Amino acid sequence: MRFSSTKWSIGWKTSVHEGRIYQLKLFCDKDYPDKPPSVRFHSRINLTCVNHETGAVEARKFDMLANWQRKYTMEDILTQLKKEMTAPHSRKLVQPPEGTFFE
């Protein structure tokens, strides 16, 4: 089974993400839920777990993907990304201009 979905997320107050809308893609291949989906931002974003050239969330830098468990859901991934965006080390990162995208 293959599943591809585009999700939208609205930025949170008191951070550099306030009022922004981000587009990302979660892709589940035939091994899901035994293996994690791939997660890739279409909207440009500056986070330590996101590859700055491709927009891919790098599993080795994002604990939930690195330590994937079958019980995790896509909602859990989005919740963890929100926590990453609002973490003190991420809240002040300079962001690319709104409306810019990875190729």
Side-chain angles (χ1 to χ4, degrees), residues 25-58:
K25 186 176 197 174
L26 302 167
F27 179 79
C28 303
D29 69 11
K30 62 181 174 51
D31 296 323
Y32 178 83
D34 294 318
K35 295 199 176 170
S38 62
V39 182
R40 183 181 176 275
F41 277 86
H42 179 60
S43 305
R44 285 201 171 269
I45 189 168
N46 183 13
L47 289 175
T48 57
C49 63
V50 175
N51 181 295
H52 297 290
E53 293 179 16
T54 66
V57 176
E58 297 178 343

Side-chain angles (χ1 to χ4, degrees), residues 31-34 68-73:
D31 296 323
Y32 178 83
D34 294 318
W68 182 255
Q69 296 181 25
R70 184 180 173 86
K71 67 180 182 180
Y72 293 157
T73 66

